[in-house]
Amino acid sequence: MLKIAITLSCVLSLFAGEATSPAFAASLPQGSAQDYQRAEELPGRFRHLVYGHDVEETWLEDGQLVYSKSTALGQTEFFLVNPKAAGWIEPKILFNADKLAEVLGVRAAGQQVIRVEQQDSNTLLLLLTEAKSCLKFTLKGQELSEVSLDAITPFDLPAFQTDHPSGRGRAGGGSGILFRNQLDQEVELFWLESSTKKRSYGKVAAGASKWMSTYSGHAWRVTTADGKTVASFRAEAKEGVARIGTAAEMNLIKPERPDRETRIASKTKTKRAKIYVDDHNLWMRAPDGGEPTALTTNGTAENSYRNNTTWAPDGSAFVGLQTEGAQDHTVSFVESSPQDQLQPTLHHFQYLKPGDDIAHPRPRLFLKNKKGGFDQVEIDEPLFANPWSLTRLSWSADSRKFRFLYNQRGHQVLRWVEVDAKTGKARALIEESSPTFVDYAGKTYLHVVEDRGEAIWMSERSGWNHLYVVDLESGKVKRALTEGEWVVRKVEDFNQDRDELLLQVMGIHPAQDPYHLHWAVVNLKSGKLTKLTEGDGTHQLTWSPDGEYFLDRYSRVDMPTVTELRRRDGRLVAELGSGRIDKLVEAGWIPPQRFVAKGRDGKTEIWGLIYRPTNFDSNKSYPVIENIYAGPHSAFVPKNFRVFRKSQALAELGFMVVHIDGMGTNWRSKAFHDVAWKNLGDAGFPDRIAWMRALAATEPAMDLSRVGIYGGSAGGQSAMRALIAHHDFYSAAVADCGCHDNRMDKIWWNELWMGWPVDDSYAQASNVDQAHRMQGDLMLVVGEVDRNVDPASTMQVVNALIKADKDFDLLVVPGGGHGIAESPYGTRRRRDFFVRKLLHVEPRWK
């Protein structure tokens, strides 16, 4: 660690340049008006000084790639690369900014290219800023043979003439399109799976409609009987209507949700009875009409059936849910200064808190009888007697069994239950249990491979988050699909044709920061794991339309984005761009320092960052301020490159600002994470303090006799907790919108980490119950209309502090919501507080 620190110290001196001279430092005293002005100017001072990092790509129909990136002169260059060529590929420049300016001439002065589209196999269109003209390029092989400036009309926009394939990695969440054929002829619907592969999803008669379930980002093509394309659509996040008509109506997906009966009727291939809810009970109407029949009579307003039936594939049975409702828990607050009236407004909303009575869903099974009706089959309930939730209802392909995911309240059992459709007998097909918690919110994955009798299941049973292949008949684990001292962050995609999963992984490269996001694929049959990314940074992928290539963009806080083109197996094709920061450094920018030290146990690595002022002087002494968020649901130290973050502006006033991920946060080992269980008051403080002391041993300018801390929400709870449990180290804190008592906060987040039933651990973690122990300078901030964390949580802390005769500052912001301390006023007040309490001067002194 000493070697790392010495090397970085040399780098900082190089970055700071003249700013490290004593004369320059003396002219800018800490906390002065000049410091504040410099902090405010930082975003503009560093804007547009990085180049070569901003690669934007367009894939051509022949598989070639056109991309652009910025130059040191603020211009844009366009390149062409053929990834199918053998060996290392050198991108070929299509044209530079000078040639572009020559072609544009006075007719397009001041315009810039905003995107590239392909008109046909030999023609590229570069759409200009105002979208009223475009550059047309004619290509012959890899040579640019003609460039012209053409005028275009709104309906000639390239997006309306081309239909980019869906491609791997383009799909978002589930969605749907209702195609309405307004033409006088039949049309056919095709899903564009890739640039070379399309799949027919049937025809739509003239004047008819058809509902298609799809995913956000998926592309669809509509053709006539002779194969002519008449419209192209891309699904959006919201379900909508695609009207197939005149040119003016094409390519529109309006945010209209088709009625439920239209969607159901268009999806159902065979006629089934209509099951619906009336007066809280299930009723059935036969497919051919007739009088409705009551299937249940035990539904009440308090324990009602819902319109969410799940049918067996052969129509022989269905499952519904009867749900006993949750208790009423109304949170109220007064908005003192509403914008639409003079008088205050009283607001009410439902907000369950830990220990409340929650909804209790129960599956109800109905089996078709010989008369065509349905009889209810009683189901054994002991395996799912106390649900937090029942989700993922599905049927086996042979319609003999249905399954659902049972999350037990208290979150120590996650069970995949299978029920025999004839007998109602239930069994635990897969079970995940923990003496602490099962992180269902971040570490749940279940994928059924029915034809092989297997399921893919996510588990931390090895102590690390991995994937397992489970036998559907026995429920036993057949093999680990991934393993090692690293974690699967997310299953991004399942490629059925290749029988492989695309994974986000962390910690897979031992020599790198374990929080760097990397990517890999694993084959379900062979179990072979292929690492797709390797660069020392955190990675994001963008796939080619055919899924054979991807752009890998990666960066670190101290390294701008590098963009590489790779084959689907991870092999490098070419580097497309690498961000350059020489102009940024010339402007006085210095990078955040990455630092790693041992935690409380003397073994576990704790990772963090430190920000210094741009006029940093190693001969001075700087107070330290920690920006904390210790929520167990994730990890929070920034990993990607940015030229500016708010922590840098705070440091500019004369501080050293640190971010640290201590034990109890997510995405390391299970043991690392378990520190948070029934122990949110710990917040990783022993690790954070050890980390800062290790850094101070290599950085004499750090003054650990003046340490402040701030955070919002769970970070607000932790910030105040620092002055309760660790006031021998921290001396000043700003706590914004804190969930100061976990019994007062939202139910799902707190019961996941603190457990259920509510016990004494909640009181031990409560800043309200422990307020009398607070020592130091405290500023509390709360928005009066916060709907995320009950504002009363802060006011109860205020009450406890007053009873304990403690001094503190309080800022209540009328009309302010969650995180109000990040508003301009809240930010300014927080900065002023730390200047007064840690620098011991009045803010903006001259």
Side-chain angles (χ1 to χ4, degrees), residues 21 131 214 253 256-257 344 505 577 640 674 685 841:
S21 67
T214 185
I253 301 180
E256 300 178 8
R257 180 180 175 88
V505 297
N640 64 317
D674 277 348
F685 279 122
V841 297

Side-chain angles (χ1 to χ4, degrees), residues 284-329:
M284 180 190 76
R285 188 186 297 276
D288 54 357
E291 291 296 317
T293 303
L295 297 179
T296 67
T297 58
N298 65 338
T300 64
E302 295 75 24
N303 192 15
S304 177
Y305 288 86
R306 306 293 173 89
N307 277 311
N308 51 3
T309 52
T310 303
W311 283 91
D314 64 1
S316 63
F318 71 87
V319 177
L321 284 179
Q322 184 180 13
T323 302
E324 188 176 347
Q327 73 168 74
D328 176 271
H329 192 140

Side-chain angles (χ1 to χ4, degrees), residues 142-154:
Q142 286 194 328
E143 298 298 324
L144 186 64
S145 62
E146 180 183 344
V147 184
S148 61
L149 183 68
D150 292 359
I152 57 176
T153 65

Side-chain angles (χ1 to χ4, degrees), residues 78-79 207 209 292 305 390 398 544 575 601 698 795 823 830:
F78 287 79
F79 297 81
S209 298
Y305 288 86
L390 291 179
D398 59 10
S544 64
E575 182 181 286
D601 58 3
T698 69
M795 302 314 294
S823 67
R830 181 173 62 216

